[in-house]
């Protein structure tokens, strides 16, 4: 049986090489982010580095740190705890970026060992003079899958020449500080993000299939929110290959291909004698493509996410339900037009091209800034291939970095998406763990000069948020009101009482507290913090205040009454004059001379 499986794998590889000749001339594009050295001056400047295809790159954000090159275990192939080495940053220090050498073990294992030792990011120095390449994960086995899944720090490959410059500077005693910047890793030209996921309906291909299925389930909700709001334009894709004409009648091609060898997929179990065939996968891939097309025609492209997740749950291979009958039940439950779906899929036994699958094979060839798609899964955002772990939060962060500035939807402003440099060693700013005081606030969130609202005002210790803001080149820290210092190594409490900054009214009694002060008043007086003064709770001042209120109300009443009398007198005087004028037209009054009659004068 083992010999049969080995022969099957060899035949599959042989067919793959024959059926995809463009692989030999494939155009692979390496996704990069900017690396900027801020010190020392001898190597200061910008450099490119290639984003690793695992871990979680901070798309849309940046990270500053200090580079460390270990004296032992320089290839990071063993655990650093075996050498009693730790890279956890000390309070007041920037995060640690570990520089390691390429060779002797997998890239992912190097990063995993560095992460366990406390490193915040990893730079791998190439050992060959060559253009940058993408660090990928090994072909997963049970051992590697355990740590690959748990890698959360970013990593990047740097050229051999630049790596040697970093080592020389560190070896000479210089402190090497640099920023990793992912803000331009994804283009962000407008208010809509276009992305595509190259996926597969096969759920028995090992760790990568499990990871893909889990991602689709987790990301479904966010994807549908973005699509329904018109913020994104999504399209699924599926990779197929064709069988060389000379082998179309072979058992292998017949079991793996449809349309007479034009569209093929590997056998799920890599065993032609049992289980499902590759052609079963191709047919389901075609069905899922047509679900998207039919749903898109009705203005509801997000239904694809419902179908795919439901199919995964209800129709898995391991339960022998990966078939048309189960798929039809999912389609019916979602209200998809089955006649349009069948028309889109066509006849898988026809000796002719299938328009849908032909378009997919053409789309595999890279265009513009995107390279050829040859592995699954592959995510492409704004025509730029995503690098890193296929995980909801990481992918959502990459999508959100693709929006033009200030056009991000609300889902991109949630705490799940925001990159927070303050979470990593407090951004290198001062902190007091015993007092539970944080020394960092995320840049760009509100007024950079403001502090958070006081917490626990009755406690002697007032917890405040200190401030840090980040720009492109450096990290800056500043102590807020109530503290003084440089913000990096220390922030000392200001004694408001001693320095006469508050609580200075004659009746006031001042007591300094951590980050603030308490002010009390003598007798039964109450302290008003906003006005820095004391007022009476009860007594003559309160009675005087009420007397003043009544005096004001009485004055207002008298003024209103006087105004009314004046108004009434003027109104009566006005009415008398009007009545007298009207009566004067009809008879002379004793007090007025006779008014001439102009009508009679005209007749004379």
């Amino acid at each position: 049986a083992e010999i049969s499986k080995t022969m099957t794998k060899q035949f599959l590889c042989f067919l793959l090489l024959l059926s995809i000749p463009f692989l030999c001339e494939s155009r692979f594009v390496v996704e990069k982010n900017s690396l900027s050295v801020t010190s020392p001056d001898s190597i200061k400047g910008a450099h490119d580095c290639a984003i690793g295809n695992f871990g979680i790159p901070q798309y849309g954000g940046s990270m500053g740190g200090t580079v460390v090159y270990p004296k032992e275990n320089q290839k990071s192939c063993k655990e650093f705890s075996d050498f009693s080495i730790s890279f956890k940053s000390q309070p007041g220090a920037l995060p640690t970026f570990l520089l390691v050498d390429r060779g002797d073990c997998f890239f992912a294992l190097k990063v995993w060992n560095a992460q366990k030792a406390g490193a915040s990011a990893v730079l791998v120095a190439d050992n060959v003079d060559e253009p940058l390449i993408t660090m990928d994960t090994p072909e997963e086995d049970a051992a590697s899958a355990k740590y690959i899944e748990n890698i959360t720090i970013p990593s990047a490959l740097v050229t051999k020449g630049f790596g040697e410059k970093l080592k020389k500077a560190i070896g000479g005693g210089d402190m090497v500080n640099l920023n990793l910047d992912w803000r331009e890793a994804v283009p962000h030209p407008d208010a809509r993000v276009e992305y595509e996921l190259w996926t597969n309906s096969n759920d028995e291909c090992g760790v990568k299939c499990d990871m893909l299925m889990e991602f689709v389930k987790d990301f479904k909700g966010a994807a549908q929110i973005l699509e329904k709001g018109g913020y994104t334009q999504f399209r699924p894709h599926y990779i197929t290959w064709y069988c060389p004409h000379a082998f179309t009648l072979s058992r292998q091609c017949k079991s793996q291909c449809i349309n007479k060898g034009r569209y093929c997929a590997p056998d799920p179990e890599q065993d032609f004698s049992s289980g499902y065939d590759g052609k079963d996968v191709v047919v389901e891939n075609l069905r899922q493509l047509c679900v998207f097309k039919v749903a898109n025609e009705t203005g509801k492209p997000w239904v694809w996410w419902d179908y795919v997740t439901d199919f995964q749950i209800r129709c898995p291979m391991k339960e022998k339900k990966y078939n048309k009958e189960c798929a039809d039940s999912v389609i019916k439950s979602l209200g998809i037009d089955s006649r349009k779906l069948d028309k889109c899929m066509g006849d898988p036994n026809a000796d002719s091209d299938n328009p849908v699958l032909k378009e997919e094979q053409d789309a595999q060839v890279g265009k513009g800034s995107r390279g050829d798609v040859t592995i699954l899964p592959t995510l492409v955002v704004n025509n730029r291939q995503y690098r890193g772990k296929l995980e909801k939060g990481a992918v959502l962060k990459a999508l959100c970095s693709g929006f033009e500035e200030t056009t991000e939807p609300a889902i991109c402003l949630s705490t799940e998406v925001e990159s927070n440099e303050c979470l990593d060693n407090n951004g290198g700013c001062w902190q007091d763990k015993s007092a539970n005081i944080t020394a960092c606030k995320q840049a760009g969130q509100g007024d950079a000069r403001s502090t958070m609202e006081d917490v626990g005002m009755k406690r002697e210790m007032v917890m405040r948020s200190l401030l840090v803001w980040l720009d492109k080149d450096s990290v800056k820290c500043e102590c807020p009101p109530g503290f003084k210092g440089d913000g990096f190594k220390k922030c000392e409490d200001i004694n408001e009482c001693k320095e006469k900054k508050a609580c200075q009214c004659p009746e006031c009694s001042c007591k300094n507290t951590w980050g603030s002060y308490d002010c009390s008043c003598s007798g039964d007086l109450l302290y008003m913090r906003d006005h820095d003064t004391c007022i009476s709770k009860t007594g003559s001042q309160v009675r005087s205040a009420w007397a003043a209120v009544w005096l004001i109300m009485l004055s207002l009443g008298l003024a209103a009454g006087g105004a009314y009398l004046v108004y009434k007198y003027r109104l009566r005087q006005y009415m008398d004059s009007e009545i007298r004028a009207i009566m004067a037209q009809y008879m002379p009054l004793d007090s007025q001379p006779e008014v001439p009659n102009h009508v009679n004068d005209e007749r004379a």
Side-chain angles (χ1 to χ4, degrees):
E2 290 298 324
I3 295 176
S4 175
K5 287 184 179 180
T6 302
M7 292 179 64
T8 298
K9 289 182 180 180
Q10 291 175 344
F11 182 79
L12 287 172
C13 293
F14 174 67
L15 284 183
L16 194 59
L17 289 173
L18 286 176
S19 63
I20 313 182
F22 74 83
L23 277 178
C24 300
E25 301 176 357
S26 291
R27 188 175 65 88
F28 296 96
V29 175
V30 178
E31 277 66 38
K32 302 175 183 178
N33 67 301
S34 173
L35 182 157
S36 177
V37 178
T38 57
S39 67
D41 291 338
S42 58
I43 56 173
K44 187 175 182 179
H47 305 267
D48 281 336
C49 57
I51 304 173
N53 211 21
F54 46 84
I56 302 180
Q58 301 298 317
Y59 280 98
S62 62
M63 178 187 293
T66 300
V67 183
V68 173
Y69 183 57
K71 294 181 179 180
E72 298 179 278
N73 196 27
Q74 293 176 338
K75 292 184 178 179
S76 190
C77 291
K78 298 179 181 179
E79 293 191 16
F80 284 94
S81 58
D82 296 342
F83 302 88
S84 300
I85 297 175
S86 174
F87 302 108
K88 293 182 179 178
S89 300
Q90 299 299 316
L94 289 172
T96 299
F97 293 171
L98 186 63
L99 176 67
V100 301
D101 294 324
R102 180 182 178 182
D104 292 356
C105 62
F106 296 126
F107 290 121
L109 181 59
K110 295 176 185 289
V111 177
W112 173 239
N113 286 333
Q115 177 178 308
K116 287 195 295 182
S120 299
V122 175
L123 300 177
V124 179
D126 205 342
N127 56 2
V128 180
D129 283 319
E130 61 180 355
L132 289 171
I133 62 173
T134 298
M135 300 186 298
D136 204 355
T137 56
E139 185 175 345
E140 289 90 345
D141 53 28
S144 63
K146 291 180 181 178
Y147 66 79
I148 291 172
E149 177 70 18
N150 293 311
I151 295 175
T152 57
I153 63 174
S155 60
L157 183 75
V158 299
T159 62
K160 180 181 178 181
F162 179 58
E164 290 174 350
K165 290 181 180 179
L166 291 174
K167 295 174 194 175
K168 183 179 178 180
I170 295 170
D174 289 326
M175 177 179 285
V176 178
N177 291 334
L178 59 81
N179 283 342
L180 292 172
D181 193 340
W182 294 269
R183 284 177 288 187
E184 299 301 324
V186 174
H188 39 91
D190 51 39
R192 188 181 73 173
V193 170
E194 300 175 4
Y195 72 108
E196 54 194 49
L197 175 65
W198 290 83
T199 181
N200 193 5
S201 63
N202 180 3
D203 58 13
E204 286 292 312
C205 64
V207 176
K208 281 196 172 181
C209 277
D210 294 340
M211 177 185 67
L212 175 62
M213 301 300 173
E214 193 66 25
F215 166 73
V216 172
K217 292 175 185 176
D218 289 346
F219 197 68
K220 168 186 169 182
Q224 292 184 327
I225 289 173
L226 290 168
E227 200 74 9
K228 290 178 181 179
Y231 300 112
T232 59
Q233 180 176 314
F234 168 74
R235 182 170 181 177
H237 288 288
Y238 296 79
I239 291 179
T240 61
W241 48 274
Y242 65 87
C243 185
H245 185 71
F247 295 92
T248 54
L249 298 179
S250 67
R251 177 190 172 193
Q252 289 83 0
C253 281
K254 284 184 177 180
S255 68
Q256 295 181 91
C257 309
I258 65 173
N259 292 85
K260 305 299 181 181
R262 288 176 173 83
Y263 313 105
C264 314
D267 188 280
E269 300 85 9
Q270 297 186 358
D271 185 352
F272 298 132
S273 61
S274 64
Y276 289 98
D277 295 327
K279 65 181 180 182
D280 297 322
V281 176
V282 179
V283 170
E284 180 55 34
N285 288 351
L286 175 59
R287 182 178 289 110
Q288 293 187 6
L289 281 168
C290 286
V291 165
F292 176 78
K293 287 184 174 293
V294 171
N296 195 37
E297 289 173 0
T298 61
K300 298 179 179 180
W302 51 84
V303 171
W304 178 87
W305 294 91
D306 291 319
Y307 175 82
V308 172
T309 52
D310 285 4
F311 183 82
Q312 290 174 9
I313 295 170
R314 296 164 62 175
C315 312
M317 287 183 175
K318 61 183 177 181
E319 295 182 12
K320 307 300 180 184
K321 295 180 179 180
Y322 187 91
N323 52 45
K324 185 178 185 302
E325 290 73 24
C326 189
D328 286 343
S329 66
V330 177
I331 290 166
K332 183 178 180 181
S333 68
L334 295 174
I336 300 172
D337 192 326
S338 57
R339 289 175 297 179
K340 289 184 177 180
L341 194 64
D342 292 339
K343 183 179 179 181
C344 172
M345 293 181 65
D347 183 5
N349 297 313
D351 188 7
S352 60
D353 285 333
N354 181 294
V356 176
L357 293 176
K358 181 67 170 60
E359 183 180 2
E360 290 299 292
Q361 284 187 344
D362 293 341
Q364 288 176 223
V365 181
K367 298 177 180 65
S369 58
R370 197 210 76 192
D372 299 332
V373 179
T374 56
I375 61 173
L376 290 174
T378 293
L379 181 73
V380 179
V381 182
N382 282 351
N383 211 37
R384 189 75 59 82
Q385 187 169 337
Y386 166 84
R387 297 295 185 190
K389 183 179 179 181
L390 203 63
E391 182 263 341
K392 177 186 175 182
V395 170
L396 189 56
K397 188 178 294 184
L399 291 182
C400 290
S401 71
F403 289 100
E404 186 179 12
E405 192 173 356
T406 72
T407 66
E408 303 93 338
I411 192 173
C412 291
L413 304 178
S414 67
T415 54
E416 183 178 14
V417 179
E418 290 171 347
S419 59
N420 192 343
E421 294 88 349
C422 298
L423 295 178
D424 197 342
N425 200 41
N426 223 23
C429 295
W430 171 86
Q431 61 179 336
D432 188 328
K433 292 184 179 179
S434 63
N436 194 27
I437 297 176
T438 175
C440 188
K441 183 180 178 182
Q442 174 75 2
Q445 296 179 358
D447 183 1
R449 295 281 176 180
S450 65
T451 58
M452 293 177 66
E453 185 178 355
D454 291 350
V455 179
M457 292 299 295
K458 293 184 179 180
R459 295 167 54 188
E460 183 171 310
M461 181 187 72
V462 179
M463 296 170 58
R464 292 178 180 269
S465 172
L466 301 185
L467 168 70
V468 60
W469 72 93
L470 301 164
D471 59 25
K472 188 173 182 179
D473 298 319
S474 62
V475 177
K476 298 179 181 178
C477 307
E478 183 180 273
C479 299
F483 295 89
K484 61 183 178 181
D486 59 12
F488 285 98
K489 294 185 178 180
K490 69 176 183 178
C491 282
E492 296 178 345
D493 170 54
I494 296 175
N495 190 328
E496 289 86 356
C497 303
K498 184 177 180 180
E499 298 185 14
K500 300 186 183 300
K501 293 182 177 293
C503 197
Q504 296 302 302
C505 57
E507 305 88 353
C508 294
S509 177
C510 187
K511 180 183 177 181
N512 188 57
T513 61
W514 182 247
S516 186
Y517 63 94
D518 281 338
C519 192
S520 58
C521 298
S522 59
D524 60 353
L525 299 180
L526 179 67
Y527 180 66
M528 301 294 291
R529 191 183 186 95
D530 292 340
H531 303 284
D532 193 32
T533 188
C534 294
I535 65 170
S536 177
K537 298 177 184 177
T538 59
S540 60
Q541 290 188 27
V542 176
R543 290 193 295 270
S544 298
W546 279 109
V549 171
W550 282 111
L551 180 61
I552 293 172
M553 293 179 65
L554 182 60
S555 299
L556 291 175
L558 291 173
Y564 175 73
L565 292 175
V566 171
Y567 167 75
K568 186 175 180 181
Y569 172 76
R570 294 296 302 274
L571 179 63
R572 181 176 179 181
Q573 188 179 44
Y574 172 75
M575 290 297 295
D576 286 347
S577 63
E578 286 295 310
I579 293 171
R580 289 169 67 85
I582 293 171
M583 294 180 66
Q585 296 180 26
Y586 298 95
M587 66 180 69
L589 299 180
D590 294 338
S591 60
Q592 291 185 349
E594 185 176 352
V595 179
N597 191 320
H598 298 283
V599 176
N600 291 340
D601 287 348
E602 262 183 13
R603 289 177 181 175

